[in-house]
Amino acid sequence: LGLIRIRAYNKMVMAQKSRIFPNVTKALCRYLEDNPPEGLPKGKRFPFTSICLNKDYAASRHRDVNNAGLTIVRAFGNFTGGTLKHWPKDPGPRFVNDVNTLPEEEAVEHDVAGKSVVVDSTQAHEVQAFQGTRYSLVYYTVPNYQRAEPALREELQELCSLHVPDFDQAQKIWAIWGFSLAEKDKTKKIVKKKVKKKVKEGDKDTNKQTKAEAKPEAKKGTKTHAKQEGKEPTNAAAKKTAPMKEAKSPGKAGAKQTEEPRNQKQQKQKKTKEEAAAAAGTGKASELPAQKKARTN
């Protein structure tokens, strides 16, 4: 009921139920004025833009996303149990993604039966089990409600008696319970910067590790590559040349073996020549010294 935001168009409009049943919205707005939360000064309205009415709804642990500012929860009906469990120290989804891991001892239980309780519903909360018929009213503020057109604000006030709050005035009222939307936005920005910084540092560390791991591998790779390209080919060449040497050595031995028969043949031929000369006569042999003497003279 009241002011809602159409996400597809990012536009503020009046809820259809409020247009059809404007008096219901008007009655619920008056109900909160008559039953304000503790701490709210007299004559002041608690700032809200929208109302949610639930029946027999035991909400599991969760965080409200479509909320800005503080929320009022009030239950009524014939029921037992159904208290509201809230984690006021919830650091948010950037630090604790799963709300079910939040410590139970940090939770605070609020008896919302017939009481208007102020909580920050963007923090983790849940409804405890109950028996009977339980109704609950939730008064909250949609984000960026300041974008609502003046004509729409006037229409909500005339038809439903719903006063869309001024932003600065809403901040002052919420500050009574120690809430500051501006401070919350600042902490979100700080958290985002810290997260980004950690991510960058993590990326740098991972890059350093990968580089450090890659360098030894590259060195080892170059050595093995050198071994493969340098020593192994020389060994292979040595192995290849070894058979060649072995192949040559038998050739030399064979040459020596072939030379010996040739010398023997030459000696035999000399002997046969000498024997033939001796058989023919000694004239030629005797003429040889005489001719040498004549030449010397």
Side-chain angles (χ1 to χ4, degrees):
L1 301 173
L3 184 68
I4 62 171
R5 181 171 65 93
I6 300 175
R7 296 181 183 180
Y9 303 101
N10 195 18
K11 186 179 180 181
M12 299 294 174
V13 298
M14 184 189 295
Q16 188 176 6
K17 296 295 183 183
S18 292
R19 286 192 179 277
I20 298 172
F21 306 105
N23 291 329
V24 175
T25 306
K26 186 183 290 186
L28 294 177
C29 290
R30 180 62 184 268
Y31 182 74
L32 183 60
E33 290 180 7
D34 295 340
N35 299 277
E38 291 183 5
L40 184 68
K42 290 182 178 181
K44 296 290 182 181
R45 290 192 182 93
F46 184 86
F48 68 93
T49 62
S50 312
I51 306 169
C52 183
L53 177 62
N54 303 308
K55 179 186 177 184
D56 294 338
Y57 178 57
S60 59
R61 195 178 306 181
H62 68 285
R63 300 183 182 102
D64 291 343
V65 178
N66 195 31
N67 281 26
L70 293 178
T71 300
I72 285 180
V73 181
R74 187 182 181 95
F76 57 94
N78 187 14
F79 68 94
T80 56
T83 57
L84 179 67
K85 206 170 184 179
H86 177 245
W87 278 259
K89 294 181 180 180
D90 179 12
R94 291 188 177 274
F95 293 97
V96 181
N97 187 26
D98 187 3
V99 293
N100 293 312
T101 60
L102 291 169
E104 291 291 334
E105 59 272 14
E106 292 183 1
V108 178
E109 279 197 46
H110 299 283
D111 183 9
V112 294
K115 295 179 182 178
S116 299
V117 179
V118 179
V119 294
D120 182 359
S121 61
T122 61
Q123 296 171 330
H125 58 283
E126 66 182 15
V127 176
Q128 299 296 92
F130 61 88
Q131 291 82 33
T133 303
R134 181 183 183 272
Y135 296 91
S136 63
L137 288 169
V138 181
Y139 298 85
Y140 66 98
T141 303
V142 295
N144 302 319
Y145 72 90
Q146 306 93 318
R147 297 179 183 176
E149 296 178 359
L152 179 59
R153 296 188 183 202
E154 291 177 4
E155 189 178 14
L156 283 167
Q157 187 171 348
E158 290 176 3
L159 292 176
C160 308
S161 298
L162 196 157
H163 301 271
V164 177
D166 178 73
F167 183 76
D168 294 333
Q169 187 64 29
Q171 291 288 324
K172 291 178 182 179
I173 299 297
W174 289 331
I176 296 172
W177 292 272
F179 180 86
S180 174
L181 190 60
E183 289 296 326
K184 196 166 187 177
D185 290 338
K186 284 182 182 179
T187 54
K188 283 182 180 179
K189 289 179 181 179
I190 292 169
V191 169
K192 284 182 180 179
K193 286 181 181 179
K194 287 182 179 179
V195 170
K196 287 181 180 179
K197 190 176 180 181
K198 287 181 180 179
V199 170
K200 287 181 180 179
E201 289 176 355
D203 292 339
K204 288 180 181 179
D205 293 337
T206 52
N207 289 332
K208 286 179 182 179
Q209 289 177 359
T210 51
K211 286 179 181 179
E213 291 173 357
K215 284 180 181 179
E217 289 178 359
K219 289 179 181 179
K220 290 178 182 178
T222 52
K223 287 181 181 179
T224 54
H225 189 65
K227 286 180 181 179
Q228 289 176 357
E229 291 185 354
K231 293 183 180 180
E232 288 183 1
T234 53
N235 293 331
K239 290 178 182 179
K240 288 180 181 179
T241 53
M244 295 294 290
K245 290 179 180 179
E246 291 175 359
K248 287 179 181 179
S249 60
K252 290 180 180 179
K256 289 180 181 179
Q257 290 175 0
T258 53
E259 285 176 358
E260 289 179 358
R262 287 177 184 176
N263 294 330
Q264 290 177 0
K265 286 181 180 180
Q266 289 175 358
Q267 288 176 0
K268 286 180 180 180
Q269 287 176 358
K270 285 181 182 181
K271 284 182 181 181
T272 53
K273 286 180 181 180
E274 288 176 356
E275 287 175 358
T282 57
K284 189 177 181 179
S286 61
E287 287 177 359
L288 293 172
Q291 291 176 355
K292 288 181 180 179
K293 287 180 181 179
R295 289 176 183 175
T296 52
N297 293 327

